[in-house]
Amino acid sequence: MASQYKSLDSASVPKHSTTAHERINKMAGTLIACTLAGVVTLSIFLTSPTNGAPTGAQCAAQLPIKSWASLGDSYSNIVGDGLQDYEALMATDACLQGHAPQYLSIPDAVISQVSSQQVPKLNRNTNFVTISAGANDIGLVQVLDACVYNWIGSASLNCAQTLKDAATSMSGAAFASSWNTLFTQTRSILASNAGKAYVVGNAAFFDETTPQCNQVSLAAYTGSGQQKYLTTALRKSLNEMIHRFNWWQHYLVTKYNRAQVPSGNTLQYPVQFIDPDDRFNGRRFCRIGSDGTGSREPYTWFSDSEALKTPMTRSPYEKMRPPTTCDPRRGWSEYVQCRMAKAIQKTSTLSLTRSGAGTSPNNWERVFHPKTAGEDLIRDEIVSQLAQSPTLSGFNLRILPLGASITAGFASTDGYGFRKVLYDTLRKTNTVSYVGTQGSAPLIHEGHPGWIINDVSNVATTALRSRPNVVLVHVGTNDLLANNAVDQAPERVGKLIDHVLSIAPDAVLLIAQILPTTRAGQFDNFVTFNARVASIINQRQVQKKKVLKVWMPLTTDDLVDGVHPNNAGYNKMAQGWIRGLQRAADKGWIGKPV
C-alpha cells in the first residue's frame, strides 16, 4: 500500500494546486455562464496553452463583481502569525483584484454573531460573499478537548459523547434556524445586487488508513491516562464529524435555495455550497511519509504542530483563578486557559508534555486550520465556482448509470428519472451514449429496483465490458432501509469502486451522496453513510483513482414517497450529475472511450 503514496514525498509534488485560471484554460471550448450580474453572460475560454491565465481585465468582464466580503469565523480569518487565510489570498487573485474587499470574519464567532455583528457591516453594493461558520456552534473546541488535547487532564470530557453531541447539534432546530437567519439577512443585501453567497465547507483532518499516528499524541500532559493517541479509529471518527458537518451545511443551503427558487434551476440558487475537502487528499495529517502531526512538513496542508513544541512553564496556569465552568462560547483562548488552569490546580504533579507546551492558546486552535498552501486551495475552489458552467462541451461521453430504483427512474412520470434530462442536456454540446442492460435505447441503464450494493456491483460486470468512460453511481439506499449490515455499507461502496475500475480503469466514477429519506428512524443513518462514503472516496483518490463525490441538490421535499424523487427532484439530480461531470473535466479526468 505504501507504494501508492510514494510520490507524495517526492520533489515532483506541487506545493499547491493549479490556479483556477489554469484550470479554466484547460476546459476546451467550455461555455461559461456568469450569473452574478443577474443576467446570464456567455464567454468562450480559449484553451491554447500559450494564452496563459486570464488577465484581471478579462476576469472583471467575466465575473462582474461590485464588492465582495468574507464572513465567518477563524476558518476564513486564521489564527497565527505568518499565515494567510483564503480571504486574504482571494484579494491577490487576478479575477478579484481591483475590488474593495471587506474582511469581516472574527475568530470564535458562532453563526448568530455572524448575522448580528458582521452582516450589518456589509457594503450596500456587495454582490459576492463567502461564509465559513458553524464549527463553533457544534462544539468543535469541546471535541478537540475530549478527543485530542485533553486540556483538563484525567477529568477530560468523553470523546464519544462530544462527537455525539456535535452530531446532535448539527441536526438540531437551532442550527438550522441560525443558518436560515444568516442566509436571509445576507440575501437582503445581495438580492438588490443580484449577488450570491458561497458557504465554504471544511476539510477532514486526517489520512485515516495509515499506520502513522497510532502512537502519536497531541495531549497536553504526560502520564498514565493523560495521552490521547491518534489511532485509526479516532481519526475515522473525527473525519466523519467533518463530513457530517459538510453534509448538513449543504443540506441547509439546498433547503433555503429550494424556497427561494421554486423553478429548481440550481444555477439561479442565491446560496452555493463549496466543498474543498478532496483537494486536501494526500496532504492531511498522518499521511504516508509524515511524522504524523504535520510538523514542518511542506506537503501537509494543515498548520504545523511545531507551535505546540515550544517549552513553557506551568506558572501562567497556576496563577489563574478560573471560574467554576469554562464556557466555550467565550472563545478558544479563554476556554483553553480555563481548562488547563483547573487541571493544574487540581493535580499539582501534572506535567506538560513537550507537544502540549504551546506558548499561546491560539496555537492550539491553529493546528486544525489549513496552512497557507491549504488556504490557497480553498481560494482556488471559490474562484473556480464564480464562473459556473451549465454543461460540458466537446466530450465523447459513454455513460453507465449504475444503481437501483432511483437510477432506473422509479416514480418519475416518464420512467426515465434523471436519465432523459441529463441525456438531452449533454447531447446539445457533446457526443453522448448510455450503456447498460436495462431499458430501451438510447436511455439504457443498469438500475435494478430493490438491489443492494453487492448485487449492483456484481451485475455491473456485463455493462462495464462496453468500457464506459463515465459511471454514475447512486447506491446504498436499499442496504440502509433493509438494515443490511449498515456499519459495513460504506466499505461495500469502496469494493464496488474497486470492482468497476478493475474492469474499466480509464473510467471516471461519480459517486452520489445518496438522497435523504423520510422513512422513520432512517434519516441519520443516511447522513452517517454519506459521511463515511466521503472518506472512502478520499482514500481512493489518494490511490490515484478517478473517483468523485457528487452532491445532489435535493431535500426530503423533493421526494414522492420518502425515498424516490418526484419529477422536479429527478431534474435536480441531472443538474447534480452535470456539476460532477464539470468538476471531473476540470481535473482533466474525462478521456475518450476505449
Side-chain angles (χ1 to χ4, degrees):
M1 182 67 72
S3 63
Q4 296 170 332
Y5 299 82
K6 185 175 180 180
S7 64
L8 295 175
D9 296 305
S10 69
S12 64
V13 177
K15 288 187 171 64
H16 54 77
S17 69
T18 56
T19 65
H21 317 131
E22 291 168 334
R23 291 197 305 275
I24 286 171
N25 276 325
K26 291 179 182 178
M27 292 189 272
T30 300
L31 191 63
I32 299 297
C34 298
T35 59
L36 286 173
V39 178
V40 175
T41 58
L42 301 179
S43 301
I44 299 293
F45 285 105
L46 300 178
T47 58
S48 168
T50 60
N51 287 339
T55 66
Q58 290 171 329
C59 284
Q62 294 159 357
L63 309 175
I65 296 172
K66 301 175 184 177
S67 178
W68 63 273
S70 177
L71 307 177
D73 54 27
S74 59
Y75 212 73
S76 56
N77 183 357
I78 200 166
V79 179
D81 295 335
L83 297 174
Q84 286 188 294
D85 47 56
Y86 74 72
E87 66 178 14
L89 290 167
M90 285 174 64
T92 69
D93 194 279
C95 284
L96 295 171
Q97 286 179 348
H99 300 286
Q102 286 184 284
Y103 304 137
L104 300 176
S105 301
I106 301 173
D108 303 323
V110 294
I111 300 169
S112 62
Q113 291 173 323
V114 178
S115 297
S116 63
Q117 299 175 19
Q118 298 177 30
V119 173
K121 297 178 182 178
L122 286 172
N123 293 332
R124 304 314 294 181
N125 67 335
T126 299
N127 69 337
F128 165 46
V129 167
T130 60
I131 303 172
S132 291
N136 295 311
D137 296 72
I138 67 170
L140 178 60
V141 65
Q142 292 100 313
V143 170
L144 294 179
D145 182 5
C147 301
V148 179
Y149 290 132
N150 196 22
W151 287 311
I152 204 166
S154 58
S156 174
L157 299 169
N158 180 275
C159 177
Q161 185 60 50
T162 57
L163 288 168
K164 183 177 179 180
D165 291 344
T168 300
S169 295
M170 295 176 209
S171 61
F175 192 67
S177 177
S178 293
W179 273 114
N180 193 67
T181 298
L182 177 56
F183 295 152
T184 300
Q185 293 185 355
T186 305
R187 182 66 180 151
S188 68
I189 294 175
L190 295 176
S192 61
N193 301 305
K196 290 188 178 183
Y198 292 78
V199 175
V200 182
N202 287 28
F205 305 131
F206 300 103
D207 186 322
E208 61 191 50
T209 63
T210 66
Q212 262 75 348
C213 295
N214 283 336
Q215 295 300 316
V216 171
S217 174
L218 293 179
Y221 313 107
T222 61
S224 176
Q226 305 296 343
Q227 299 293 295
K228 301 283 188 177
Y229 293 106
L230 300 176
T231 63
T232 297
L234 176 58
R235 284 179 268 150
K236 284 183 177 181
S237 295
L238 291 170
N239 282 356
E240 180 182 317
M241 176 192 67
I242 295 299
H243 292 310
R244 181 184 291 269
F245 179 59
N246 286 345
W247 189 94
W248 272 108
Q249 288 184 101
H250 176 267
Y251 187 77
L252 295 173
V253 164
T254 302
K255 198 170 183 68
Y256 177 80
N257 285 328
R258 190 181 188 281
Q260 302 300 311
V261 184
S263 69
N265 185 341
T266 59
L267 288 177
Q268 296 176 0
Y269 280 180
V271 184
Q272 300 288 333
F273 178 72
I274 292 178
D275 181 9
D277 176 64
D278 69 358
R279 296 185 181 275
F280 284 75
N281 285 329
R283 302 172 178 93
R284 307 181 199 271
F285 289 136
C286 306
R287 65 182 183 81
I288 285 289
S290 76
D291 70 354
T293 60
S295 175
R296 302 302 184 196
E297 293 183 0
Y299 303 131
T300 298
W301 286 355
F302 284 96
S303 293
D304 292 331
S305 62
E306 192 72 20
L308 301 182
K309 295 186 176 180
T310 304
M312 184 182 72
T313 66
R314 292 157 43 93
S315 59
Y317 301 116
E318 290 174 325
K319 295 176 181 178
M320 287 185 64
R321 290 295 176 264
T324 303
T325 301
C326 301
D327 189 351
R329 292 174 296 180
R330 298 181 67 87
W332 276 69
S333 181
E334 185 169 325
Y335 177 81
V336 173
Q337 292 181 68
C338 177
R339 296 281 282 179
M340 292 186 73
K342 289 171 73 71
I344 289 175
Q345 290 169 16
K346 179 179 178 181
T347 307
S348 60
T349 59
L350 204 59
S351 94
L352 292 163
T353 61
R354 184 166 184 264
S355 64
T359 56
S360 164
N362 284 342
N363 290 343
W364 300 97
E365 180 176 8
R366 195 176 76 190
V367 170
F368 286 91
H369 288 67
K371 62 174 66 168
T372 300
E375 297 281 353
D376 187 50
L377 286 185
I378 297 173
R379 181 274 309 270
D380 282 353
E381 183 70 15
I382 294 169
V383 173
S384 70
Q385 289 203 29
L386 292 179
Q388 297 181 50
S389 174
T391 188
L392 303 177
S393 180
F395 286 89
N396 186 347
L397 302 173
R398 188 182 297 162
I399 300 173
L400 170 61
L402 180 63
S405 56
I406 292 176
T407 299
F410 182 83
S412 60
T413 301
D414 59 12
Y416 297 129
F418 64 76
R419 300 192 317 280
K420 187 176 189 304
V421 176
L422 180 62
Y423 180 82
D424 289 344
T425 302
L426 291 175
R427 68 195 295 263
K428 293 176 182 178
T429 51
N430 302 274
T431 300
V432 183
S433 61
Y434 284 163
V435 298
T437 65
Q438 305 297 297
S440 304
L443 303 178
I444 55 178
H445 61 95
E446 204 64 53
H448 297 267
W451 284 27
I452 59 176
I453 297 167
N454 285 348
D455 291 340
V456 171
S457 180
N458 292 335
V459 79
T461 301
T462 299
L464 287 169
R465 293 195 181 108
S466 299
R467 297 300 296 273
N469 59 347
V470 175
V471 182
L472 309 180
V473 180
H474 185 285
V475 294
T477 300
N478 293 319
D479 293 69
L480 300 183
L481 292 179
N483 197 28
N484 176 41
V486 171
D487 289 344
Q488 288 77 49
E491 281 65 36
R492 293 197 292 275
V493 175
K495 291 178 180 179
L496 180 149
I497 292 170
D498 297 339
H499 175 63
V500 169
L501 292 178
S502 70
I503 300 173
D506 300 316
V508 176
L509 268 70
L510 302 185
I511 312 293
Q513 292 274 277
I514 64 171
L515 307 186
T517 183
T518 60
R519 294 290 174 87
Q522 286 286 358
F523 191 96
D524 189 65
N525 289 340
F526 279 49
V527 179
T528 300
F529 173 83
N530 281 326
R532 289 300 305 142
V533 167
S535 285
I536 296 292
I537 293 170
N538 283 343
Q539 294 166 19
R540 296 316 190 268
Q541 282 195 17
V542 171
Q543 296 169 12
K544 309 302 181 185
K545 295 180 178 180
K546 296 187 292 185
V547 187
L548 277 178
K549 172 180 61 185
V550 175
W551 294 101
M552 286 296 165
L554 287 79
T555 73
T556 54
D557 294 325
D558 295 301
L559 307 178
V560 71
D561 58 1
V563 175
H564 301 91
N566 54 30
N567 290 339
Y570 276 118
N571 290 345
K572 292 176 184 178
M573 285 193 73
Q575 294 176 60
W577 290 126
I578 289 171
R579 282 203 167 198
L581 285 165
Q582 182 61 70
R583 199 150 191 267
D586 195 11
K587 289 176 175 288
W589 282 4
I590 303 178
K592 295 180 179 179
V594 176

